[in-house]
Amino acid sequence: MSAHNVKARIVTFGMFLLPLVLVKGTAVMLGRGPEAAIADPVGNTTTATTATIEPVVREWTPEQLAAARHIESLRSQPFGASPLLHQEPPPPQDDPRQHQTTPRIQPPPDVVVQIILKSSRGNIALIDRKRYRVGDSIGEGWVVKAIDADARSVLIEHTKTSEEATLVVPFPR
């Protein structure tokens, strides 16, 4: 069985090798290489002359020149925000009149929201490695008022002053 397999391989190899040998042998016998076939594809024995290629000089339309100038002016300008990078929104501008009329008595606690879990029984916020639901006390008089999983934020309220603050899940760095 192995002898038959060897014979089959030799026949297969010969089928691919035979055309190559015939073409190469014919080219050697005729004494012509591939360069001659390129220079004179018909087979004439006259020598081929090399033609010089003239460079193409293009005349630009006024619209094309204006577009080229506009492209050059755009290259000198800085790029806008990348749609592939998620950038943090700028901090909101505080109104100085608001600070004058309502002074802050208690600043919001210095805590970090790590993650917000969305659940059918109510959202859960992981704040400083502790789980909180709506109504839970964070400390220093602050209570969780709302947890918004879509906005990735937690709204907290001070029980005495009714002041509200929003804590946001920070973006990874």
Side-chain angles (χ1 to χ4, degrees), residues 106-113 127-128 138-140 142 156 167:
Q106 184 69 26
D110 188 24
V111 294
V112 176
V113 181
I127 303 172
D128 285 343
I138 293 179
E140 303 174 8
W142 292 91
I156 58 175
L167 305 174

Side-chain angles (χ1 to χ4, degrees), residues 129-161:
R129 298 183 181 170
K130 295 179 185 174
R131 289 180 291 173
Y132 292 95
R133 292 183 182 267
V134 175
D136 291 346
S137 174
I138 293 179
E140 303 174 8
W142 292 91
V143 177
V144 176
K145 185 175 180 182
I147 300 173
D148 188 3
D150 296 330
R152 300 171 33 183
S153 64
V154 177
L155 181 66
I156 58 175
E157 180 181 35
H158 196 269
T159 55
K160 295 179 181 173
T161 62

Side-chain angles (χ1 to χ4, degrees), residues 37-172:
I38 293 172
D40 190 13
V42 179
N44 297 334
T45 57
T46 60
T47 59
T49 59
T50 56
T52 58
I53 299 174
E54 297 287 329
V56 177
V57 178
R58 182 175 208 158
E59 292 190 26
W60 298 94
T61 64
E63 292 85 13
Q64 290 173 330
L65 290 173
R69 283 191 293 273
H70 181 68
I71 290 170
E72 286 300 319
S73 69
L74 290 178
R75 285 186 182 156
S76 64
Q77 296 177 1
F79 286 108
S82 172
L84 302 176
L85 298 176
H86 186 77
Q87 297 176 352
E88 293 182 19
Q93 298 292 331
D94 290 336
D95 188 12
R97 292 174 284 154
Q98 181 185 14
H99 293 291
Q100 293 172 359
T101 57
T102 57
R104 285 197 165 183
I105 297 172
Q106 184 69 26
D110 188 24
V111 294
V112 176
V113 181
Q114 277 106 7
I115 193 168
I116 295 178
L117 303 171
K118 191 172 187 176
S119 171
S120 60
R121 296 185 300 166
N123 296 339
I124 300 171
L126 189 66
I127 303 172
D128 285 343
R129 298 183 181 170
K130 295 179 185 174
R131 289 180 291 173
Y132 292 95
R133 292 183 182 267
V134 175
D136 291 346
S137 174
I138 293 179
E140 303 174 8
W142 292 91
V143 177
V144 176
K145 185 175 180 182
I147 300 173
D148 188 3
D150 296 330
R152 300 171 33 183
S153 64
V154 177
L155 181 66
I156 58 175
E157 180 181 35
H158 196 269
T159 55
K160 295 179 181 173
T161 62
S162 298
E163 187 175 348
E164 294 181 345
T166 304
L167 305 174
V168 181
V169 177
F171 293 108

Side-chain angles (χ1 to χ4, degrees), residues 5-47:
N5 192 11
V6 172
K7 288 180 185 178
R9 287 184 182 204
I10 291 173
V11 169
T12 304
F13 183 69
M15 285 185 351
F16 289 108
L17 188 61
L18 184 63
L20 179 67
V21 170
L22 289 175
V23 170
K24 187 64 175 171
T26 306
V28 169
M29 285 184 192
L30 293 177
R32 299 183 54 176
E35 294 83 17
I38 293 172
D40 190 13
V42 179
N44 297 334
T45 57
T46 60
T47 59

